[in-house]
């Protein structure tokens, strides 16, 4: 784990430490400047490049990249980008066991988990394996400077969601709780600072630090209702990942509040508010984040099916899950109502 400003300079040494000499460089179109910096540092080690990563890791894209990896005999993966690019890297590592060096450019936190969500035939399936966990993560705060404010907000709330659900996880433990509470207070402090000044490097550093903390929570303990709903809405209705997390989080928290009063009190304290769910909603509106599923393009007629899918397979959650209850939650999220 490497964290700081200008840490990209250490990427070549990391690749060599992992025994790599033929790099497949993965990146997305909006991070071409960051990818150019990595290319510069890696020099002749870059053997091939692939810039086609897509949200929710479609298996068809993975197969395309896998073919390039095989024809170029790449022996190391270097991924520069958000969770989608990290997801592609993980999908390739799962199939080849090649080492990965990941440079995250958002706050999704995927780089520190051994979990991969892949989409095939309209369903997102999650799996976990040691081969999926990247060997090296290089956090360079500089690489997050280009993330537009709107995406910084939604990605920051995505990180917040990992920390929130860790605190009421059936597997929660005191060490992970500490990481989660630290992440929550950093996000609550950094998002308004960034909204006031999008070039605030301390706020960017706080957010990336929080992303690492929150990603560690996600990789350490099981998540609940909120992640299940977002996974369902992303995989089956094509909704965008971080935006969906942002809209759904206050509603999932309001639903779970009566089942996890102690966790909600600690979350509220870390946020510096009286009520955790309403506090998260207010934080989002104060930094102009999205609050309604209808704004994200979800059809009202799909809410019932979304609710059915979200409770179709049982999983641990602090409060019992019913189709009617989740349908009501999704209706509130669709309209963008502030939790009471
Ligand atoms: P993303 O990677 O799709 O990025 C969103 C958009 O932001 C893209 O267009 C990208 O090019 C652009 N972008 C990224 N960084 C940028 C930067 N610094 N400057 C300008 N533009 C930038 O979105 P995401 O929210 O980071 O990741 C979502 C994906 O990650 C989903 O598929 C989700 O399932 C997965 N994910 C997985 C885990 C896990 O542990 N398996 C955890 C979190 C997210």
């Amino acid at each position: 784990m490497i964290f700081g400003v200008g840490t990209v300079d250490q990427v070549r040494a990391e690749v060599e430490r992992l025994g790599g000499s033929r790099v497949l460089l993965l990146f997305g179109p909006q991070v071409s400047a960051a990818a150019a910096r990595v290319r510069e540092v890696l020099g002749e080690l870059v053997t091939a490049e692939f810039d086609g990563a897509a949200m929710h890791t479609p298996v068809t894209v993975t197969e395309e990249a896998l073919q390039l990896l095989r024809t170029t005999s790449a022996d190391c993966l270097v991924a520069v980008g958000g969770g989608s690019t990290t997801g592609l890297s993980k999908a390739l590592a799962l199939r080849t066991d090649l080492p990965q060096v990941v440079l995250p450019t958002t706050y999704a936190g995927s780089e520190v988990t051994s979990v991969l969500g892949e989409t095939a035939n309209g369903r997102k399936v999650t799996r976990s394996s040691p081969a999926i966990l990247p060997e090296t993560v290089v956090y360079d705060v500089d690489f997050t400077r280009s993330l537009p404010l709107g995406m910084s907000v939604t990605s920051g709330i995505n990180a917040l969601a990992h920390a929130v659900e860790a605190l009421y996880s059936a597997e929660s433990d005191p060490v992970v709780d500490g990481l989660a509470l630290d992440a929550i207070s950093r996000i609550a402090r950094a998002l308004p600072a960034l909204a006031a000044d999008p070039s605030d490097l301390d706020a960017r550093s706080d957010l990336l630090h929080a992303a690492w903390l929150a990603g560690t929570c996600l990789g350490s303990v099981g998540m609940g209702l909120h992640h299940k709903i977002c996974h369902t809405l992303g995989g089956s209705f094509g909704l965008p990942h971080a935006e969906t997390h942002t809209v759904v989080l206050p509603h999932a928290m309001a639903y779970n509040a009566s089942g996890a009063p102690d966790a909600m009190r600690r979350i509220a304290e870390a946020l510096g508010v009286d009520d955790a769910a309403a506090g998260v909603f207010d934080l989002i509106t104060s930094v102009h984040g999205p609050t309604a599923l209808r704004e994200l393009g979800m059809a009202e007629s799909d809410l019932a099916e979304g609710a059915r899918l979200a409770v179709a397979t049982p999983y641990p959650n602090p409060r019992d899950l019913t189709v009617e209850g989740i349908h009501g939650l999704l209706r509130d999220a669709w309209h963008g109502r502030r939790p009471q």
Side-chain angles (χ1 to χ4, degrees):
M1 305 297 301
I2 297 173
F3 186 96
V5 179
T7 49
V8 63
D9 289 337
Q10 298 175 53
V11 167
R12 186 179 174 119
E14 282 304 313
V15 167
E16 289 172 343
R17 193 178 64 79
L18 294 166
S21 59
R22 297 177 63 78
V23 167
L24 171 57
L25 179 61
L26 308 167
F27 60 98
Q30 274 116 314
V31 296
S32 49
R37 270 295 287 135
V38 176
R39 194 182 295 120
E40 192 186 336
V41 172
L42 287 174
E44 79 290 355
L45 296 190
V46 178
T47 299
E49 302 193 2
F50 186 87
D51 68 357
M55 188 86 70
H56 307 306
T57 323
V59 170
T60 45
V61 173
T62 301
E63 281 163 359
E64 208 186 313
L66 192 57
Q67 198 164 354
L68 176 66
L69 185 158
R70 292 206 163 120
T71 53
T72 56
S73 308
D75 61 9
C76 186
L77 300 160
V78 174
V80 188
S84 298
T85 309
T86 304
L88 175 60
S89 176
K90 288 169 146 185
L92 292 172
L94 176 68
R95 288 160 174 81
T96 60
D97 210 17
L98 287 189
Q100 309 172 69
V101 177
V102 175
L103 295 99
T105 62
T106 69
Y107 310 120
S110 174
E111 63 281 351
V112 287
T113 82
S114 54
V115 177
L116 166 68
E118 293 187 291
T119 311
N121 308 319
R123 280 288 157 89
K124 192 165 174 178
V125 178
T126 301
R127 67 180 84 191
S128 183
S129 155
I132 292 173
L133 185 68
E135 277 70 9
T136 299
V137 180
V138 178
Y139 284 111
D140 191 332
V141 182
D142 266 343
F143 280 12
T144 60
R145 282 183 198 253
S146 58
L147 193 65
L149 179 61
M151 277 157 58
S152 302
V153 166
T154 54
S155 197
I157 300 294
N158 184 194
L160 182 66
H162 307 330
V164 163
E165 290 229 295
L167 281 159
Y168 57 62
S169 169
E171 297 165 5
S172 71
D173 67 53
V175 170
V176 172
D177 285 3
L179 304 182
L181 291 169
D182 189 2
I184 293 169
S185 33
R186 282 176 193 275
I187 293 164
R189 178 169 75 214
L191 284 181
L194 204 65
D197 175 9
S199 68
D200 184 334
L201 201 61
D202 288 339
R204 288 269 181 218
S205 182
D206 252 347
L207 281 174
L208 198 57
H209 185 156
W212 178 3
L213 291 165
T216 306
C217 295
L218 174 69
S220 305
V221 298
M223 299 283 116
L225 170 67
H226 169 78
H227 280 75
K228 182 67 180 183
I229 290 178
C230 294
H231 180 96
T232 304
L233 298 184
S236 300
F237 300 98
L239 294 198
H241 178 80
E243 291 87 336
T244 306
H245 270 269
T246 305
V247 169
V248 171
L249 185 60
H251 302 283
M253 290 172 70
Y255 184 89
N256 277 340
S258 62
D262 188 50
M264 292 302 168
R265 182 189 51 72
R266 299 171 83 194
I267 294 165
E269 231 171 71
L271 289 167
V273 298
D274 293 332
D275 179 81
V280 168
F281 186 91
D282 294 343
L283 173 65
I284 294 164
T285 52
S286 74
V287 292
H288 313 296
T291 53
L293 287 176
R294 63 184 157 79
E295 291 168 31
L296 305 186
M298 180 152 191
E300 194 171 11
S301 54
D302 282 337
L303 296 179
E305 177 65 358
R308 194 190 63 74
L309 289 173
V311 301
T313 38
Y315 50 92
N317 186 67
R319 193 179 151 199
D320 282 348
L321 303 169
T322 62
V323 178
E324 303 74 54
I326 305 309
H327 195 180
L329 179 168
L330 288 179
R331 264 198 306 272
D332 287 343
W334 191 83
H335 286 284
R337 295 180 181 125
R338 181 179 186 271
Q340 295 308 312

